[in-house]
């Protein structure tokens, strides 16, 4: 039984190639259905994002399975990845470690980013929906989810802002503390401004306003994130009641000048924080010399981002330790899906139940105990004879044999016992 992943990602392939082999949800379901018809493939899941496309498979004939995947990509996307320098192929332990590393956030373009864990979950849900996931993926992917959860709760891999917009909002939080009681004005309506609006929406500021050269786009943001629209000509007036100004406009010249900010500074009790995300700058540089004004441009925020990225990189060994432990745990489960361990565990559990039942009989004479022992042992052996013969006939090297052994473990609660869980009481 072989577990493998065929893929390419941001490290191995340019964005043009990644875009070419990306699979949307409907395309993924069609691909899953086609590959499931291949006798060589027992389970298949496809993880496709803007930064990676990966085919995870369980197969009895890995070479035939690989050829089927390459052929599907060739027919669906018009590109031949057979031996392509941008692809990688990991099998068995390397495959499991790779998936766990992806879920743990250490294989992402932005180390520790949270979106990838949700994307791994989506890939598994699609495989389940397409009836392409079975006994192995039923253990492998939940294990990957556990790695992702542990990585973010037990390490600092996901802490600290690593985007300029998030760094700016983090800075605002440090200066003002709770942003819920603050007034925030966002100038711009592009991708960066939308990202900032989304981050601010989670902070629920009391007053949120948007300004843009195209009023309709500002109105869309105000409607989506709950705020009001300010005309660009009214920005100097609005600044008098603003605690945080965020600018993210594509403009060759500054759009906010010292003359716009001077009146807003006079008589102000608290500071005015200006986060300039424009390149070139949206806010006149000399403005930063004013008292009670904190002005941070892209270069200032990039320093914070680089600092946080460095901290995240230092957490990679801690996540790798989690990956190693969960990989060992997974292969421990896979090893247990062989005939000798399950027969031994099944008989051991049956004998435990038998001895417990005898103990519940209370005080017995030596002759009574001998009779009960003989009867219970004979009964147990007869009951276990057919299951034992059937299990010993299973070949764990085949997917069918593996699935039958796993079903037996689940039926008799042997996985619960192996994990240290208490057996459920009799009904």
């Amino acid at each position: 039984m072989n577990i493998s992943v065929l893929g390419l990602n941001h490290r191995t392939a340019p964005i043009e190639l990644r875009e070419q082999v990306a699979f949307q949800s409907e395309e993924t379901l069609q691909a899953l259905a086609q590959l499931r018809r291949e006798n060589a493939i027992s389970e298949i899941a496809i993880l496709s994002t803007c930064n990676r496309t990966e085919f995870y498979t369980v197969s009895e004939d890995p070479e035939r399975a690989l050829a089927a995947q390459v052929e599907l990509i060739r027919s669906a996307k018009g590109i031949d990845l057979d031996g392509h320098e941008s692809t990688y192929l990991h099998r068995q332990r390397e495959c499991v470690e790779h998936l766990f590393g992806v879920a743990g956030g250490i294989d992402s373009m932005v180390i520790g980013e949270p979106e990838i864990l949700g994307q791994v979950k989506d890939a598994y849900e699609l495989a389940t929906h397409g009836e392409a996931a079975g006994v192995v993926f039923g253990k492998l992917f939940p294990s990957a989810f556990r790695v992702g959860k542990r990585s973010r709760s037990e390490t600092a891999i996901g802490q600290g802002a690593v985007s300029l917009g998030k760094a700016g909002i983090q800075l605002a939080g440090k200066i003002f503390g709770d942003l819920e009681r603050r007034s925030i004005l966002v100038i711009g309506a592009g991708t960066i401004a939308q990202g900032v609006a989304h981050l601010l929406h989670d902070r629920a500021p009391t007053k949120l306003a948007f300004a843009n050269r195209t009023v309709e786009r500002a109105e869309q943001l105000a409607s989506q994130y709950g705020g009001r629209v300010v005309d660009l000509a009214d920005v100097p007036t609005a600044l008098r009641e603003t605690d945080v100004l965020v600018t993210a406009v594509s403009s060759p010249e500054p759009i906010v000048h010292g003359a716009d900010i001077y009146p807003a500074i006079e008589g102000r009790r608290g500071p005015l924080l200006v986060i300039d995300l424009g390149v070139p700058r949206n806010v006149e540089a000399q403005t930063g010399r004013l008292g009670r004004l904190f002005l941070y441009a892209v270069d200032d925020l990039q320093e914070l981002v680089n600092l946080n990225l460095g901290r995240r990189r230092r957490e990679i060994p801690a996540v790798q330790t989690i990956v190693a432990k969960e990989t060992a745990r997974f292969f421990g489960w896979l090893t247990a899906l062989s005939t000798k361990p399950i027969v031994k565990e099944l008989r051991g559990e049956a004998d435990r139940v038998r001895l417990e039942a005898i103990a519940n009989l209370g005080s017995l004479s030596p002759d009574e105990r001998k009779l009960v022992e003989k009867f219970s042992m004979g009964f147990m052996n007869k009951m276990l004879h057919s299951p034992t013969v059937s299990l010993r006939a299973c070949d764990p090297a085949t997917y069918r044999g593996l699935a039958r052994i796993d079903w037996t473990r689940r039926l008799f609660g042997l996985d619960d016992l192996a994990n240290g869980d208490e057996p459920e009481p009799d009904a």
Side-chain angles (χ1 to χ4, degrees), residues 88-108:
Y88 46 82
L89 177 64
H90 302 311
R91 287 177 172 162
Q92 301 301 77
R93 185 171 294 273
E94 287 185 358
C95 171
V96 173
E97 290 175 340
H98 176 80
L99 174 60
F100 289 179
V102 169
I106 60 175
D107 195 61
S108 297

Side-chain angles (χ1 to χ4, degrees), residues 7 17 19 25 49 106 131 142 146 228 235 269 314 316 351-352 362 374 391 411 413:
L17 179 57
E19 289 175 341
S25 296
T49 74
I106 60 175
E131 298 182 348
R146 184 166 56 248
R228 64 188 181 92
V235 165
R269 289 185 178 181
R314 289 194 289 273
I316 290 177
D351 197 49
R352 184 193 66 79
K374 182 178 180 181
L391 284 170
L411 178 65

Side-chain angles (χ1 to χ4, degrees), residues 40-358:
I41 297 177
S42 302
E43 300 183 44
I44 173 77
I46 300 173
L47 172 61
S48 188
T49 74
C50 58
N51 286 325
R52 71 180 65 244
T53 293
E54 297 177 336
F55 283 61
Y56 291 87
T57 58
V58 176
S59 62
E60 295 182 27
D61 189 337
E63 295 306 321
R64 281 182 56 199
L66 176 61
Q69 294 167 72
V70 170
E71 177 55 36
L72 180 136
I73 295 171
R74 182 188 293 114
S75 61
K77 299 297 180 179
I79 183 168
D80 187 359
L81 294 182
D82 186 18
H84 199 287
E85 61 181 6
S86 295
T87 63
Y88 46 82
L89 177 64
H90 302 311
R91 287 177 172 162
Q92 301 301 77
R93 185 171 294 273
E94 287 185 358
C95 171
V96 173
E97 290 175 340
H98 176 80
L99 174 60
F100 289 179
V102 169
I106 60 175
D107 195 61
S108 297
M109 180 178 290
V110 179
I111 299 296
E113 54 98 358
E115 290 80 12
I116 187 62
L117 181 56
Q119 292 163 340
V120 172
K121 290 181 178 180
D122 291 342
Y124 178 60
E125 288 179 3
L126 279 175
T128 302
H129 180 71
E131 298 182 348
V135 55
V136 177
F137 282 179
K139 187 72 173 182
L140 178 64
F141 277 86
S143 296
F145 307 155
R146 184 166 56 248
V147 170
K149 183 177 180 180
R150 288 188 60 191
S151 296
R152 289 160 180 83
S153 63
E154 298 176 20
T155 77
I157 195 70
Q159 296 181 13
V162 291
S163 69
L164 294 176
K166 184 173 282 188
I169 301 306
Q170 183 185 73
L171 191 61
K174 288 184 177 180
I175 293 174
F176 292 106
D178 190 356
L179 295 183
E180 291 184 1
R181 296 186 296 273
R182 300 298 173 176
S183 177
I184 301 176
L185 171 60
V186 178
I187 302 179
T191 302
I192 295 176
Q194 291 175 32
V196 169
H198 181 74
L199 293 169
L200 287 172
H201 182 68
D202 294 338
R203 298 283 190 118
T206 302
K207 297 178 182 179
L208 182 59
F210 298 94
N212 192 58
R213 285 171 295 194
T214 305
V215 177
E216 290 78 11
R217 297 186 67 186
E219 290 175 341
Q220 291 175 359
L221 288 178
S223 174
Q224 183 175 357
Y225 295 105
R228 64 188 181 92
V229 176
V230 173
D231 191 274
L232 278 178
D234 296 330
V235 165
T237 302
L239 286 177
R240 297 176 182 178
E241 299 179 354
T242 297
D243 297 303
V244 182
L245 168 65
V246 181
T247 65
V249 176
S250 176
S251 172
E253 301 292 337
I255 61 170
V256 178
H257 302 271
D260 301 320
I261 294 181
Y262 295 146
I265 295 298
E266 293 180 355
R268 172 183 291 269
R269 289 185 178 181
L272 170 62
L273 171 63
V274 178
I275 301 170
D276 185 353
L277 299 176
V279 179
R281 294 186 180 193
N282 294 156
V283 181
E284 199 171 30
Q286 291 83 348
T287 305
R289 299 171 184 173
L290 297 174
R292 293 191 300 279
L293 173 69
F294 297 143
L295 172 59
Y296 291 89
V298 168
D299 288 346
D300 305 312
L301 296 173
Q302 190 62 55
E303 290 182 12
L304 178 59
V305 167
N306 291 339
L307 180 64
N308 289 332
L309 281 172
R311 290 171 177 168
R312 288 191 179 194
R313 291 190 188 97
R314 289 194 289 273
E315 293 295 309
I316 290 177
V319 175
Q320 289 174 329
T321 298
I322 294 173
V323 168
K325 290 181 178 179
E326 292 294 344
T327 299
R329 184 176 182 179
F330 172 78
F331 278 99
W333 167 82
L334 194 61
T335 300
L337 292 185
S338 62
T339 57
K340 289 184 179 179
I342 191 175
V343 169
K344 182 178 180 180
E345 289 179 48
L346 181 59
R347 294 190 65 85
E349 175 62 7
D351 197 49
R352 184 193 66 79
V353 173
R354 180 184 71 84
L355 294 175
E356 186 178 274
I358 293 175

